């Protein structure tokens, strides 16, 4: 009952370490990109004053230094600790398949907005995400359709911001 | 006093039926979304921000204020009734409040949290009313070098002093500063880091980043390790308010307020630090310290009060200096900016009617929240039980909607997705996300002030430290750094 979850020495898995190195390296990489790209910013009439390059240089240096520091800390075995959240089960392994599904669903959403309109894209996003996370498919689909239509109507009528109706263009209430 | 008259005028504005309705809408939305697990105050404000775009500024700011305070109240209900801790600012509440709820005293825990939040929120708002105008007057006299100093202090405390890993905190800050660089340079009109993409030439919208890092990042993070099965909510039991309840609660409320407000006003990480301090103080002063860890009401009353007092305290530097010291405050600044209003010393002179209506609505919102929270707690319990697949699908849908509604361009959704994936890995690897958001909003301001300082000082960097105010600020920062390093070394030794 009162036993803290995940007690005992934290096992530093190899994949956690690899992830840590990759993320640190990406921070360093972004820093290098910042430094290199900053040189292409034209500094016209550079008098004593600070031009448009100085701040990017500083940010680039900070990225490189902190990224290197994170990599060094990892090498010494001091890994960052994952954040806790109410719905996270610390005992299970990372389910990358679900993450990939969610990313795919978001990509589908942003493609569909221009192709088929917001309502269709919204149904795809909600249904896809809820289903990937384990909801019963027909319930998820029902909720998705209702939610998308309600939001579409609210935006078109209430907020005065109209979302592209796409395939539903010209339908009263839905097309603002 | 002039500010009292201005406040009364603010009340006259905020008490108009239309604005009361907006305030009610704000606190209700704020509480409802704040109750949802996994959604902290920053995410609540970021998700709901786009909804206010079609409103006039006063109405929008009144809604923000309601969402801000409502989100704070909602979070405590979650941590008391849900079996799993979350959201850092209310973790200590979870500790004691959750134990109380399990011991069948959930009602008393909820009541002390709600009434304590009301007492602290109201006192802190009074302090805000009293202090803000004079601080704003003082702030008008500050030069660009002084602002640079304040921002350096904010950057350092938010990124390096508070987190577990200073390197990761600073890396997160640097990522935010980088995102702030993208766009058109204000002084020379040149594009920087836009990769030739036209959408990026206007810069990356703070709302998009905040929604990406909080909503999408969090949803992906939770999805990777979702707790399956039914949601366990502790039933609300016991008596609401007894004589003992009041006797044991009122002092912690006041002490929590006294701790929370000052900590909120300085850039010291806002709510988190104050709740931990308040908890420690209550434990030390308790007549029955053995109850702590097993459901001591003082351990809920104090930290909850401190949490809300700090939330009001954060508004002091936000409104008077334009300096956000927490992620939530940074999102609020973005909200102000979307109306072309820059929070800062001139706010009290240029937009006086607006800012006083906002402050008046904080008082009104607090009363509404007290009424809303206690009798309606059964509704919030229902909200807590939303099945998780639907909850996170909903978060993703509204995150995408909010982002799309900023400019109605699909490109923003690409940025949202990239930031969201970055947010996922930051959470997994212990990079705090708050410094990123603070860096993004303060970075461009800091750059401008540095350039202005050096222009005045004709390129001499010494100009950055010669003003007395700046010198004092750097001095205090140096002291804080040394103290922190010493404490860390001692703890590790």
């Amino acid at each position: 009952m009162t036993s803290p979850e995940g007690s005992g020495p934290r096992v530093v898995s190899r994949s956690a370490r690899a992830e840590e190195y990759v993320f640190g390296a990406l921070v360093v990489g972004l820093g290098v990109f910042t430094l290199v790209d900053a040189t292409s910013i034209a500094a016209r009439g550079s008098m004593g004053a600070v031009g448009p390059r100085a701040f990017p240089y500083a940010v680039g240096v900070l990225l490189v230094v902190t990224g290197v520091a994170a990599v060094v800390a990892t090498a010494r075995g001091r890994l960052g600790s994952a954040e806790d959240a109410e719905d996270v089960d610390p005992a299970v392994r990372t389910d990358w398949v679900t993450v990939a599904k969610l990313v795919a669903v978001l990509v589908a959403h942003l493609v569909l907005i221009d192709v088929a309109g917001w309502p269709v894209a919204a149904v795809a996003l909600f249904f896809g995400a809820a289903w990937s996370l384990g909801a019963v498919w027909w319930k998820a689909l029902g909720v998705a359709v209702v939610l998308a239509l309600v939001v579409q109507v609210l935006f078109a009528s209430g907020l005065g911001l109209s979302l592209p109706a796409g395939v539903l263009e010209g339908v009263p209430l839905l097309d603002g | 006093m002039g500010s009292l008259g201005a406040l009364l005028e603010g009340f006259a504005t905020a008490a108009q039926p239309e604005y009361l309705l907006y305030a009610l809408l704000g606190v209700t939305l704020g509480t409802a979304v704040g109750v949802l697990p996994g959604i902290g105050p920053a995410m609540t404000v970021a998700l709901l921000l786009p909804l206010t775009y079609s409103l006039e500024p006063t109405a929008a700011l009144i809604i923000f204020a309601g969402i801000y305070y409502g989100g704070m109240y909602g979070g405590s209900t979650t941590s008391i009734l849900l079996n799993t801790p979350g959201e850092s600012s209310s973790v200590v509440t979870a500790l004691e409040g959750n134990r109380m709820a399990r011991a069948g005293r959930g009602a008393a825990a909820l009541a002390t949290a709600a009434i304590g939040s009301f007492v602290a929120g109201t006192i802190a708002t009074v302090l805000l009313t009293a202090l803000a105008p004079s601080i704003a007057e003082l702030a008008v006299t500050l030069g660009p070098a002084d602002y640079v100093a304040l921002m350096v202090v904010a950057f350092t405390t938010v990124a390096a002093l508070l987190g577990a890993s200073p390197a990761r905190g600073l890396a997160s800050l640097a990522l935010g500063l980088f995102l702030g660089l993208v766009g058109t340079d204000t002084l020379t009109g040149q594009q920087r880091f836009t990769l030739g993409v036209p959408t990026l030439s206007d810069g990356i919208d703070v709302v998009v980043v905040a929604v990406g890092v909080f909503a999408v990042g969090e949803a992906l993070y939770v999805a990777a390790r979702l707790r399956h099965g039914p949601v366990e909510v502790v039933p609300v039991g016991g008596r609401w308010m007894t004589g003992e309840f009041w006797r044991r609660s009122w002092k912690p409320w006041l002490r929590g307020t006294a701790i929370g407000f000052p900590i909120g006003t300085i850039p010291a990480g806002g709510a988190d630090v104050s709740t931990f301090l308040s908890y420690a103080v209550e434990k030390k002063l308790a007549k029955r310290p053995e109850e702590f860890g097993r459901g001591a009401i003082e351990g809920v009353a104090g930290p909850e009060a401190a949490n809300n007092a700090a939330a009001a305290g954060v508004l002091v530097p936000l409104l008077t200096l334009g300096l956000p010291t927490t992620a939530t405050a940074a999102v609020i600044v973005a909200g102000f900016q979307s109306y072309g209003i820059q929070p800062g010393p001139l706010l009290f002179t240029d937009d006086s009617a607006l800012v006083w209506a906002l402050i008046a609505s904080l008082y009104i919102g607090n009363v509404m929240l007290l009424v809303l929270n206690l009798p309606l707690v059964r509704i919030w319990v229902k909200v807590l039980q939303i099945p998780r697949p639907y909850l996170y699908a909903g978060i993703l849908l509204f995150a995408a909607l909010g982002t799309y509604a900023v400019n109605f361009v699909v490109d923003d959704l690409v940025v949202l997705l990239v930031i969201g994936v970055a947010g996922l890995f930051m959470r997994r690897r212990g990079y705090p996300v708050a410094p990123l958001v603070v860096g993004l909003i303060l970075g461009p301001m800091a750059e401008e002030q540095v350039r202005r300082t050096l222009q005045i000082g004709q390129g001499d960097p010494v100009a950055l430290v010669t003003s007395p105010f700046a010198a004092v600020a750097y001095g205090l920062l140096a002291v804080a750094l040394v103290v922190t390093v010493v404490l860390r070394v001692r703890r590790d030794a």
Side-chain angles (χ1 to χ4, degrees):
Chain A
M1 256 188 13
T2 48
S3 72
E5 291 142 294
S7 57
R10 217 156 43 83
V11 187
V12 179
S13 74
R14 195 176 291 177
S15 66
R17 215 173 248 271
E19 220 179 293
E20 192 91 58
Y21 281 126
V22 170
F23 198 86
L26 282 175
V27 172
V28 175
L30 186 66
V32 172
F33 164 75
T34 309
L35 291 172
V36 172
D37 204 51
T39 57
S40 70
I41 300 170
R44 270 164 292 188
S46 55
M47 325 135 270
V50 178
R53 281 185 190 177
F55 211 67
Y57 280 137
V59 173
V61 169
L62 188 64
L63 280 166
V64 171
V65 170
T66 53
V68 167
V71 169
V72 170
T74 310
R76 288 188 179 165
R78 298 173 74 162
L79 273 74
S81 48
E83 210 170 276
D84 38 82
E86 287 103 340
D87 289 328
V88 164
D89 192 341
V92 298
R93 280 168 153 269
T94 306
D95 176 5
W96 288 113
V97 177
T98 305
V99 175
K101 278 184 194 163
L102 292 183
V103 171
V105 164
L106 280 165
V107 171
H109 174 73
L110 68 92
V111 171
L112 280 172
I113 287 184
D114 283 342
V115 178
W118 192 83
V120 175
V123 169
L125 172 56
F126 188 92
F127 167 71
W131 178 67
S132 307
L133 290 168
V136 181
W137 73 268
W138 57 269
K139 277 192 202 165
L141 189 60
V143 177
V145 170
V146 172
L147 203 59
L149 292 180
V150 168
V151 171
Q152 181 77 17
V153 171
L154 275 181
F155 265 68
S157 61
L159 292 168
L161 301 163
S162 45
L163 295 161
V167 291
L168 299 170
E169 210 166 300
V171 179
L173 281 177
L174 294 179
D175 195 359
Chain B
M1 235 175 83
S3 65
L4 195 65
L7 178 65
L8 288 177
E9 258 171 58
F11 267 110
T13 311
Q16 288 167 26
E18 189 197 346
Y19 288 134
L20 281 179
L21 217 60
Y22 282 129
L24 184 64
L25 183 71
V27 293
T28 313
L29 280 174
T31 314
V33 180
V35 164
L36 295 172
I39 303 193
M43 205 210 280
T44 311
V45 181
L47 274 178
L48 297 174
L49 194 63
L51 289 181
T52 61
Y53 281 170
S54 59
L55 299 169
E56 42 112 4
T58 312
L61 289 185
I62 286 177
I63 293 188
F64 285 167
I67 293 171
Y68 182 55
Y69 273 18
M72 293 282 167
Y73 274 73
S76 63
T77 310
T78 319
S79 43
I80 290 171
L81 295 180
L82 210 60
N83 258 334
T84 46
E87 201 185 307
S88 58
S89 70
S90 44
V91 166
V92 265
T93 322
L95 217 68
E96 293 302 325
N98 194 257
R99 297 278 146 72
M100 282 181 74
R102 289 193 201 191
R105 286 153 60 218
L110 287 171
T112 202
I115 302 172
S117 297
F118 169 75
V119 170
T122 306
I123 296 175
T125 311
V126 171
L127 292 174
L128 166 74
T129 313
L131 289 177
S134 34
I135 294 180
E137 254 167 56
L138 181 83
V140 177
T141 64
L142 297 180
D146 305 321
Y147 275 96
V148 174
L150 281 172
M151 289 175 197
V152 169
V153 171
F155 284 152
T156 321
T157 48
V158 173
L161 289 181
L162 297 164
S165 161
R168 291 181 176 82
L170 285 170
S172 167
L173 174 73
L175 288 172
L177 292 174
F178 172 77
L179 293 175
L181 286 176
V182 176
T184 309
D185 174 37
T186 44
L187 286 186
T188 60
Q190 286 193 77
Q191 306 218 336
R192 296 190 297 192
F193 306 103
T194 57
L195 308 169
V197 181
T199 335
L200 291 180
S201 62
D202 292 337
I204 297 178
D205 204 291
V206 179
V207 172
V208 176
V209 174
V211 170
V213 86
F214 289 112
V216 178
E218 178 83 12
L220 293 178
Y221 178 60
V222 173
R225 283 153 66 206
L226 184 65
R227 195 189 295 276
H228 286 282
V231 182
E232 271 183 76
V233 176
V234 187
V236 181
R239 298 178 55 188
W240 288 97
M241 287 157 255
T242 59
E244 199 208 354
F245 167 89
W246 293 105
R247 239 187 349 270
R248 288 181 65 176
S249 291
W250 73 271
K251 278 190 206 154
W253 289 338
L254 296 182
R255 281 195 291 261
T257 312
I259 292 168
F261 184 79
I263 290 185
T265 57
I266 56 172
D272 301 9
V273 178
S274 69
T275 51
F276 287 110
L277 263 181
S278 164
Y279 186 77
V281 166
E282 293 310 326
K283 196 170 175 179
K284 192 147 251 177
L285 293 175
K287 289 203 187 85
R288 285 161 283 188
E290 69 280 2
E291 275 188 20
F292 275 74
R294 274 185 269 160
I297 193 164
E298 293 89 348
V300 183
E304 267 311 306
N307 188 14
N308 271 55
V314 165
L315 295 177
V316 175
L318 176 72
L319 294 176
T320 60
L321 299 167
L323 202 67
T325 52
T326 63
T328 320
V331 181
I332 294 178
V333 171
F336 273 96
Q337 286 172 343
S338 69
Y339 285 98
I341 304 164
Q342 182 61 48
L346 296 177
L347 191 65
F348 280 84
T349 46
D350 293 356
D351 290 294
S352 146
L354 181 83
V355 77
W356 286 109
L358 172 74
I359 292 175
S361 81
L362 291 174
Y363 288 97
I364 297 171
N366 246 318
V367 177
M368 286 178 172
L369 280 164
L370 185 65
V371 177
L372 213 59
N373 264 271
L374 286 181
L376 297 184
V377 72
R378 317 244 163 229
I379 296 177
W380 307 132
V381 170
K382 284 271 176 300
V383 172
L384 262 181
Q385 286 166 322
I386 292 180
R388 296 306 180 246
Y390 297 99
L391 173 62
Y392 288 98
I395 290 176
L396 285 177
L397 177 65
F398 285 100
L401 172 63
T403 302
Y404 185 63
V406 176
N407 300 314
F408 291 93
V409 271
V410 172
D411 295 11
D412 279 347
L413 289 173
V414 179
V415 177
L416 178 80
L417 185 57
V418 172
I419 306 266
V421 172
L424 160 70
F425 285 101
M426 288 175 71
R427 278 184 174 72
R428 289 176 59 83
R429 302 276 41 104
Y431 288 78
V433 290
L436 186 149
V437 182
V438 172
L440 169 62
I441 199 116
L442 279 184
M445 296 188 210
E447 181 179 17
E448 202 188 317
Q449 300 288 8
V450 168
R451 281 166 150 188
R452 208 178 282 171
T453 311
L454 293 182
Q455 233 161 27
I456 298 168
Q458 283 162 348
D460 185 2
V462 177
L464 286 168
V465 290
T466 42
S467 114
F469 182 88
V472 170
Y474 289 122
L476 288 175
L477 180 63
V479 171
L481 278 173
V482 170
V483 170
T484 317
V485 169
V486 168
L487 286 178
R488 284 217 172 139
V489 169
R490 271 205 194 163
R491 193 188 54 196
D492 293 343

